[in-house]
Amino acid sequence: MRASSRLTALVLTDGSVVSAAFFLVAVVLELVGRPQVPGTLDVSGVTGSIGRLEPWGWATIGVLAAIITPVAGLIATAAEYRGRREAILAAGVIGILGISLLVALLQQ
Amino acid sequence: MSIAVGAFLASIGAGAFGALVGIGGGLIIVPVLTELLGVPIKTAIAASLIGVIATSTGATSRYLSAGLADRRLGLMLLIPTVAGSITGSLLNKVLDANVLAGLFGLLLVFVAVQLLRQKKPSTSAPLPADEASDFVSTYTEPTDGTEIPYRARRIRFGLVSSFFAGNVSALLGIGGGVINVPTMTIAMGIPIRVATTTSTYMLGPTAVTSALIYFAAGVLDPILAGPVALGVFIGARAGARFSTRVSQAGLRLAFIGVALFFAVQMFARFIQNVSL
């Protein structure tokens, strides 16, 4: 029997809209000629750039939202299939994504 | 016009073209960024992956609501795919940019040949006893409302092929559908409708794996990735809307022409810059 996919669909839709909105702001700021100053990839660097209405900050938060969305979708899937084999598979995929995060951090 | 604005406009075209032909935008956006806008290939690949995520998440929610994507199959194949994506990202880091251009050229030729041959995917055939699997499911065909049963076979082959798809996706910044969809339809006996939607479902987590690694390594430039993702997303939606109104055969031929044009450019760069 198939589990409901409503929560996963909702998470993916909302995530797409949020990341697209951030990207749209970045493109508009770019079009109106706001300075393209790459900031430092930390909380204060990104929030400062967003506050100064720089495309880099808005695009960075959009990238983060885009990256988080499929992961949130997998968490929603695991919740929808709670106690079934699919939930274990979703947890396994999230685990490997965790390894990629570790690899990413080790490369910094 | 800045590179970001150029990338935005080019990505709308690439996304629309990709949706019209039935392939991901990454196959077009990477050569457009490198050959027409002069973006370094590794930066173009990383930006393309954000476009892949945006396209996947946008489409998957619709496919899930329609009951077309097989999540169980997708999750199982995702485990080797994301693992392959990690190795592909690490391989991308050590490979020379010109070698990547050569590999991308090869991929374009491969896809062009596949489109030329236009092999019809097999439907799910009855299984011999030794190949029986418990991956049995059904889907409702949206065009006529009939319920179609299917059963996945050759699971082990699918797992190995998925690892390879993840590798290529991360290495070259494409979705991986060019490998996943033929694997599912031809080798595993999955109906084309389920294969394409399940493949789209898998693209997001696959691209996240490599995007994380490229982001941390400083290869992913948000100033470029933002317009690319937005452009591909807008273009893909527009392309999907008009896909039934334009000649598929003409589009396919146009894509083959464009793919071979970029393949020649990329091979030329490889030959000029790499001494074997």
Side-chain angles (χ1 to χ4, degrees):
Chain A
M1 197 182 77
R2 272 202 187 119
S4 164
S5 59
R6 199 178 298 168
L7 181 62
T8 306
L10 185 73
V11 165
L12 294 178
T13 304
D14 289 354
S16 307
V17 171
V18 169
S19 62
F22 287 138
F23 289 144
L24 185 62
V25 174
V27 170
V28 170
L29 290 173
E30 167 77 25
L31 285 171
V32 299
R34 296 292 299 164
Q36 290 186 35
V37 191
T40 47
L41 196 55
D42 55 38
V43 176
S44 62
V46 175
T47 52
S49 179
I50 289 170
R52 289 190 297 274
L53 293 178
E54 291 167 354
W56 183 84
W58 289 90
T60 301
I61 195 85
V63 166
L64 291 173
I67 287 175
I68 289 166
T69 300
V71 183
L74 286 168
I75 294 168
T77 297
E80 284 171 336
Y81 280 106
R82 197 173 40 240
R84 290 160 64 176
R85 195 199 291 186
E86 288 85 345
I88 298 167
L89 289 169
V93 177
I94 295 166
I96 301 174
L97 287 173
I99 294 171
S100 76
L101 179 62
L102 197 65
V103 171
L105 292 174
L106 287 172
Q107 286 197 329
Q108 267 195 320
Chain B
M1 187 172 67
S2 71
I3 286 183
V5 175
F8 175 61
L9 297 175
S11 301
I12 293 176
F17 197 32
L20 285 168
V21 183
I23 53 152
L27 262 176
I28 304 169
I29 198 65
V30 172
V32 166
L33 289 177
T34 54
E35 303 306 314
L36 301 184
L37 298 175
V39 174
I41 191 164
K42 293 192 180 187
T43 310
I45 285 170
S48 167
L49 286 166
I50 300 299
V52 169
I53 297 172
T55 311
S56 165
T57 50
T60 298
S61 54
R62 288 199 304 277
Y63 295 152
L64 288 178
S65 301
L68 293 173
D70 188 330
R71 280 197 288 180
R72 190 177 175 205
L73 178 67
L75 287 167
M76 185 193 64
L77 295 179
L78 259 175
I79 289 181
T81 309
V82 291
S85 191
I86 294 176
T87 58
S89 311
L90 298 175
L91 198 57
N92 176 291
K93 201 180 171 193
V94 297
L95 281 181
D96 182 79
N98 296 305
V99 175
L100 286 174
L103 288 173
F104 207 100
L106 272 179
L107 178 73
L108 287 170
V109 172
F110 170 76
V111 175
V113 170
Q114 291 287 102
L115 285 172
L116 265 177
R117 288 170 66 193
Q118 243 202 316
K119 215 173 204 175
K120 277 197 172 174
S122 66
T123 52
S124 191
L127 292 178
D130 61 334
E131 283 193 29
S133 75
D134 61 349
F135 275 87
V136 182
S137 191
T138 60
Y139 82 99
T140 305
E141 173 55 44
T143 52
D144 55 15
T146 53
E147 193 173 72
I148 299 174
Y150 62 92
R151 175 180 283 180
R153 60 190 179 198
R154 297 196 191 101
I155 303 285
R156 269 175 286 185
F157 177 83
L159 293 171
V160 174
S161 177
S162 297
F163 179 83
F164 182 62
N167 223 305
V168 174
S169 165
L171 187 65
L172 301 177
I174 59 162
V178 288
I179 297 166
N180 280 332
V181 173
T183 297
M184 281 192 254
T185 54
I186 297 166
M188 298 179 74
I190 305 294
I192 183 78
R193 179 84 66 188
V194 178
T196 51
T197 52
T198 304
S199 171
T200 304
Y201 169 71
M202 292 165 61
L203 301 183
T206 307
V208 162
T209 314
S210 36
L212 271 172
I213 294 171
Y214 295 146
F215 202 19
V219 180
L220 201 162
D221 178 6
I223 292 281
L224 183 70
V228 166
L230 190 64
V232 170
F233 185 70
I234 293 170
R237 288 180 80 92
R241 186 167 290 211
F242 290 106
S243 63
T244 53
R245 298 187 205 170
V246 288
S247 157
Q248 291 294 305
L251 277 170
R252 201 171 286 119
L253 276 178
F255 175 79
I256 290 166
V258 171
L260 292 178
F261 168 77
F262 281 127
V264 169
Q265 303 268 316
M266 292 183 134
F267 283 139
R269 193 193 318 179
F270 172 72
I271 290 164
Q272 280 166 10
N273 297 294
V274 175
S275 50
L276 297 171

